[in-house]
């Protein structure tokens, strides 16, 4: 079958939805970018420009400056004029259709049918110069299109890097369009009180995403994630919210670790080499009040081979029979790497080298980029109103820029879950009682994925503090279906991959100590050295809080032992048993509250028993007996 040149013969594309055909017929001009270089020129408003202001005329408001794009030596620096637009709003996704869902519907939130705004969106697009960008949906055979205003070239560039653009001049005639992203930034002002909004509209043959803001996180990235989750619901497979890395020990042992969790829980950090002090040692903790430091000497680190950064596809096609392990591949072509923890030169030489001297220009968001200078990843845009650096600086990093990256599916040995934890003291107890590493029975691994805590001081989203849930699988903010269906899919996956082991690591704080992401880095080194060897019964101790499974009796790396009070936080004198129990109670109440929404008649029977075990205050051995 011959291919189609979309630039000249888009009318011949059989799968082109009627509404897209209508918009492409009536407009003020069409641009079909063919490569990254052309997208960079579009982002700057044309070849030869060194800066560009993204401005829209808002009825009743006049010209509104949304963002500024600056050409730097190592890429483009994009900054939003509003602090609010520099992070994803966790409540920005709504459903525009009437198919089954547990998500908020457009008409319930706004009081009228989405069809009205949908038609107005098409009318607005017809009066614009447009970019049309074909791309693929993860590692599937399904295609997609983005249609948006030409002056949003940086958004199109981010999407092209993240999802993998397809050459419009050589498009397969059977290109199967299952998704269309429509971009209309002014509508957040004219229709939605200046708020971010992304509307998913699931039609019979195509999944529409209407992006009414220019921050690519909720649509170009998480919106596409939602489409993959929707496809997976129908075909009974999952795209996990996870970073995956193959850790190769100094002795050439290869262990694959998948790190799951809510936004901000350390997924991108799991792909980073452990951060060292100037003398090569590890600062594993600094006392919040006294500044006393805990140091660990570790001469050699594992070599890292990144597999996935955020979206791990586990489709049927890549599973290997009855191996007992889950197999995953990357659903993205680039990674949306957060840089807020890179605060000074030398923090992460590995990442600094890649970004300062990239193979091709990179796209930076919320960075202090100056025209013709080099964007430095420790220089973040300053949020003047909040009087602090932006907590969500990002770089869009094409996967093939990462040294040693793995292309294709891998067998996963450990599934780790990350949680952001606050400091904990006996006079001010919190849920910061999680030790450096916990080993979880599979039933508890499933429960943690149901409640998916966002945790302490989340830098990725705009909503506040406290312990809140990111929802089932930690991907619920991007999903479009029902909670019970995803709970069952996760449970079935855990049951079928019986050789996988489950662990839990905190980040930010452990009891009285600030630890950054050190627990997951140290745990990665430890687990990689252990490989798939089973834990001996005397090497595990039931945690004081049953929801935390087991702690290690001791944790030794390269002949050095981790302090025991970093494994069992109740041993820290600043916390003690009383502070620990008060924090554990907070955690238990959170689980009990969040698990109520999964008490559904269609939940698998064993799932109902696991939830009831939690509500009844079951022990870790009770969880082991259930699954």
């Amino acid at each position: 079958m011959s291919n189609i040149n979309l630039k000249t013969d888009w009318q011949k594309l059989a799968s082109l939805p009627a509404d897209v055909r209508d918009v492409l017929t009536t407009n003020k001009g069409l641009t079909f970018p063919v490569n990254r270089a052309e997208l960079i020129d579009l982002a700057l408003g044309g070849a030869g420009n060194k800066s560009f202001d993204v401005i829209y005329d808002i009825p009743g408001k006049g010209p509104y400056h949304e963002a500024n794009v600056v050409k730097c030596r190592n890429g483009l620096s994009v900054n939003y004029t509003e602090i609010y637009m520099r992070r994803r709003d966790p409540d920005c996704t709504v459903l525009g259709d009437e198919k089954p869902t547990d998500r908020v519907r457009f008409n319930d939130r706004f009081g009228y049918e989405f069809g009205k705004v949908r038609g107005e969106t098409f009318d607005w697009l017809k009066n614009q110069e447009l970019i049309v960008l074909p791309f693929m949906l993860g590692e599937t055979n399904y295609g997609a299109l983005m249609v948006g205003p030409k002056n949003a070239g940086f958004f199109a560039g981010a999407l092209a890097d993240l999802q993998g653009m397809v050459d419009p001049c050589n498009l397969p005639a059977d290109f199967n369009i299952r998704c269309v992203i429509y971009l209309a930034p002014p509508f957040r002002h004219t229709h939605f009180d200046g708020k971010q909004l992304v509307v998913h509209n699931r039609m019979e043959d195509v999944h529409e995403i209407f992006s009414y803001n220019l921050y690519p996180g909720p649509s170009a990235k998480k919106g596409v994630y939602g489409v993959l989750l929707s496809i997976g619901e129908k075909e009974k497979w999952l795209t996990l919210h996870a970073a995956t890395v193959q850790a190769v020990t100094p002795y050439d042992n290869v262990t694959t670790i998948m790190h799951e969790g809510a936004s901000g829980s350390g997924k991108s950090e799991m792909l980073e080499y452990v951060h060292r002090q100037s003398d090569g040692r590890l600062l594993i903790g600094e006392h919040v009040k006294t500044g006393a430091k805990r140091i660990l000497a570790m001469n050699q680190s594992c070599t890292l081979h990144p597999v996935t950064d955020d979206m791990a596809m586990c489709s049927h096609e890549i599973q290997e029979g009855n191996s007992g392990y889950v197999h995953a591949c990357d659903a993205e072509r680039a990674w949306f790497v957060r840089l807020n923890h890179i605060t000074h030169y030398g923090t992460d030489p590995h990442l600094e080298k890649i970004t300062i001297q990239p193979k091709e220009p990179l796209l930076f968001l919320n960075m202090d980029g100056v025209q013709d200078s080099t964007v430095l990843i420790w220089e973040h845009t300053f949020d003047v109103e909040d009087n602090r650096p932006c907590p969500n600086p990002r770089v869009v990093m094409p996967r093939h820029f990462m040294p040693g990256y793995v292309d294709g599916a891998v067998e996963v040995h450990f599934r780790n879950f990350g949680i952001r934890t606050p400091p904990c003291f006996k006079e001010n107890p919190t849920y910061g009682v999680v030790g450096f590493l916990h080993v979880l029975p599979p039933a508890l691994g499933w429960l943690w994925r149901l409640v998916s805590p966002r945790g302490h001081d989340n830098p990725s989203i705009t909503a506040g503090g406290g312990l809140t849930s990111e929802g089932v699988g930690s991907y619920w903010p991007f999903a479009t279906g029902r909670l019970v269906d995803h709970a069952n899919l996760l449970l079935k996956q855990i049951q079928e991959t019986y050789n996988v082991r489950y662990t839990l690591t905190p980040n930010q704080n452990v009891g009285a100590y600030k630890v950054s992401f050190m627990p997951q880095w140290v745990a990665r080194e430890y687990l990689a050295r252990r490989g798939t060897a089973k834990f001996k019964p005397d090497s595990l101790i039931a945690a004081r809080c049953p929801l935390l499974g087991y702690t290690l009796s001791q944790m030794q790396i390269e002949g050095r032992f981790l302090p025991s009070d970093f494994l069992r936080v109740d041993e820290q004198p600043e916390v003690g048993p009383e502070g620990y129990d008060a924090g554990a109670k907070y955690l238990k109440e959170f689980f009990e509250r969040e698990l109520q929404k999964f008490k559904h008649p269609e939940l698998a029977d064993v799932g109902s028993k696991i939830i009831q075990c939690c509500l009844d205050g079951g022990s870790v051995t009770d969880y082991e007996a259930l699954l």
Side-chain angles (χ1 to χ4, degrees):
M1 185 179 291
S2 61
N3 288 355
I4 292 174
N5 185 337
L6 203 62
K7 298 176 77 167
T8 57
D9 298 316
W10 58 262
Q11 300 93 337
K12 296 180 181 179
L13 188 59
S15 66
L16 197 67
D19 292 307
V20 177
R21 195 176 297 273
D22 185 35
V23 170
L24 298 192
T25 301
T26 306
N27 53 72
K28 292 187 176 181
L30 296 176
T31 297
F32 296 85
V34 298
N35 52 42
R36 291 185 87 243
E38 189 173 341
L39 282 165
I40 288 171
D41 287 341
L42 284 169
L44 289 165
N49 290 344
K50 292 192 174 183
S51 68
F52 181 66
D53 292 334
V54 183
I55 297 174
Y56 295 99
D57 187 41
I58 310 299
K61 206 169 189 176
Y64 191 87
H65 185 186
E66 287 277 3
N68 175 252
V69 185
V70 172
K71 185 176 184 180
C72 299
R73 296 178 67 182
N74 53 338
L76 301 181
S77 176
V78 179
N79 276 287
Y80 298 93
T81 60
E82 291 180 52
I83 290 177
Y84 165 74
M85 286 301 300
R86 297 172 185 171
R87 291 194 277 175
R88 174 172 59 89
D89 188 326
D91 299 320
C92 68
T93 300
V94 297
L95 272 290
D97 57 70
E98 295 302 318
K99 294 182 182 294
T101 186
D102 289 328
R103 298 303 304 274
V104 175
R105 297 187 193 273
F106 183 94
N107 57 358
D108 291 333
R109 181 163 168 182
F110 296 103
Y112 60 95
E113 296 299 320
F114 175 63
K116 178 177 182 294
V117 182
R118 182 174 180 269
E120 292 171 354
T121 306
F122 294 147
D123 291 341
W124 183 83
L125 290 168
K126 291 175 183 178
N127 283 289
Q128 310 300 314
E129 290 185 82
L130 299 175
I131 293 176
V132 183
L133 183 80
F135 62 97
M136 299 303 298
L137 293 172
E139 293 299 319
T140 71
N141 293 320
Y142 303 132
L145 284 180
M146 186 213 84
V147 180
K150 185 178 179 181
N151 69 345
F154 82 86
F155 182 98
L159 174 65
D161 275 352
L162 287 166
Q163 308 302 339
M165 66 185 295
V166 179
D167 183 358
C169 300
N170 198 29
L171 199 70
D174 61 352
F175 188 70
N176 182 9
I177 297 176
R178 287 288 297 270
C179 169
V180 181
I181 297 177
Y182 298 102
L183 179 65
F187 278 55
R188 81 176 178 98
H189 302 285
T190 57
H191 291 69
F192 308 119
D193 297 322
K195 299 297 184 183
Q196 299 176 26
L197 195 77
V198 175
V199 183
H200 285 255
N201 192 45
R202 299 166 296 175
M203 303 177 72
E204 206 58 43
D205 299 317
V206 65
H207 189 131
E208 296 180 331
I209 300 173
F210 290 83
S211 179
Y212 294 120
N213 68 91
L214 278 174
Y215 182 56
S219 50
K221 180 174 173 62
K222 301 303 189 185
V224 174
Y225 193 173
V227 178
L228 289 173
L229 289 169
S230 183
I231 292 171
E233 285 176 34
K234 297 174 184 176
E235 300 181 359
K236 306 303 180 187
W237 51 266
L238 288 165
T239 298
L240 299 172
H241 195 200
T244 311
V245 65
Q246 288 190 328
V248 183
T249 71
Y251 325 109
D252 295 328
N253 182 47
V254 180
T255 303
T256 306
I257 302 170
M258 176 182 283
H259 181 84
E260 300 168 75
S263 297
S265 67
K267 291 183 291 297
S268 291
E269 288 78 7
M270 184 55 91
L271 306 183
E272 296 180 13
Y273 284 89
V274 59
H275 293 187
R276 293 180 179 272
Q277 299 294 287
S278 58
D279 62 3
R281 296 184 300 169
L282 311 185
L283 174 60
I284 59 171
E286 182 175 350
H287 199 283
V288 172
K289 293 183 177 179
T290 68
K293 295 180 179 181
R294 296 271 187 95
I295 302 293
L296 182 72
M298 184 177 68
N299 294 330
Q300 290 182 288
S301 299
C302 290
T303 300
L304 304 181
H305 295 288
V307 184
T308 77
D309 174 72
D310 188 67
M311 294 160 54
M313 270 186 61
C314 304
S315 58
H316 296 308
E317 289 76 14
I318 63 173
Q319 304 310 309
E320 294 187 6
N322 296 317
S323 72
Y325 290 104
V326 65
H327 291 76
C329 67
D330 201 353
E332 304 175 281
R333 301 297 176 89
W335 301 336
F336 204 38
V337 182
R338 192 179 60 252
L339 304 168
N340 67 301
H341 63 295
I342 310 294
T343 56
H344 58 271
Y345 172 71
T347 302
D348 188 340
H350 175 72
L351 191 57
E352 290 164 22
K353 179 180 178 181
I354 299 170
T355 55
I356 290 173
Q357 295 179 310
K359 298 177 182 179
E360 297 177 40
L362 295 171
L363 180 65
F364 298 89
L365 297 174
N366 306 325
M367 300 294 298
D368 188 13
V370 178
Q371 183 177 306
D372 292 329
S373 70
T374 299
V375 179
L376 303 174
I377 59 175
W378 56 89
E379 295 183 350
H380 311 149
T381 295
F382 200 75
D383 286 353
V384 177
E385 294 174 26
D386 290 348
N387 196 34
R388 63 172 181 167
C390 176
N392 193 40
R394 299 272 185 169
V395 61
V396 180
M397 179 66 69
R399 187 175 65 197
H400 64 277
F401 285 21
M402 298 292 288
Y405 81 96
V406 177
D407 202 3
V410 298
E411 177 182 272
V412 176
H413 305 122
F414 288 92
R415 288 176 64 175
N416 185 60
F417 201 87
I419 174 176
R420 299 180 70 91
T421 46
C424 179
F425 293 89
K426 63 179 66 175
E427 64 271 17
N428 184 24
T430 70
Y431 55 94
V433 297
V434 185
F436 257 56
L437 177 65
H438 290 268
V439 179
L440 305 178
L444 270 177
W446 180 67
L447 283 187
W448 274 91
R449 283 156 181 80
L450 291 194
V451 302
S452 296
R454 283 197 182 115
H456 170 70
D457 193 26
N458 193 309
S460 298
I461 59 173
T462 61
L467 198 56
T468 58
S469 174
E470 188 113 309
V472 60
S474 78
Y475 55 65
W476 181 245
F478 333 126
T480 58
R482 300 192 309 164
L483 287 162
V484 66
D485 295 330
H486 285 276
N488 283 332
L489 283 171
L490 282 164
L491 182 59
K492 185 171 185 289
Q493 183 187 58
I494 288 174
Q495 290 174 302
E496 292 177 348
T497 55
Y498 45 83
N499 282 327
V500 176
R501 271 169 289 174
Y502 299 86
T503 54
L504 174 72
T505 55
N507 64 70
Q508 305 315 306
N509 299 277
V510 169
Y513 289 84
K514 181 176 175 59
V515 297
S516 184
F517 293 94
M518 199 57 70
Q520 68 187 51
W521 290 329
V522 171
R524 180 185 64 199
E525 297 292 328
Y526 173 78
L527 294 173
R529 284 164 172 79
R530 290 195 84 264
T532 56
K534 292 184 177 181
F535 288 99
K536 296 179 180 179
D538 61 355
S539 68
L540 298 177
I541 299 172
R544 190 177 179 93
C545 172
L547 291 172
L548 300 181
Y550 292 99
T551 69
L552 301 178
S553 58
Q554 60 184 20
M555 187 171 176
Q556 181 183 184
I557 307 174
E558 299 285 309
R560 306 283 181 166
F561 288 91
L562 193 78
S564 64
D565 61 351
F566 272 9
L567 296 172
R568 291 173 291 281
V569 178
D570 54 299
E571 294 182 12
Q572 293 182 17
E574 301 91 340
V575 180
E578 61 271 36
Y580 183 103
D581 291 346
K585 180 183 178 184
Y586 188 98
L587 193 64
K588 183 176 186 295
E589 290 173 348
F590 170 77
F591 268 71
E592 291 172 347
R593 184 171 65 251
E594 292 299 324
L595 289 175
Q596 295 299 325
K597 65 187 71 169
F598 295 100
K599 297 177 73 173
H600 191 285
E602 293 181 46
L603 184 67
D605 183 58
V606 66
S608 297
K609 291 178 180 178
I610 294 170
I611 289 175
Q612 194 58 49
C613 179
C614 178
L615 299 179
D616 292 342
S619 68
V620 66
T621 53
D622 292 331
Y623 288 111
E624 282 190 308
L626 286 168
L627 197 61

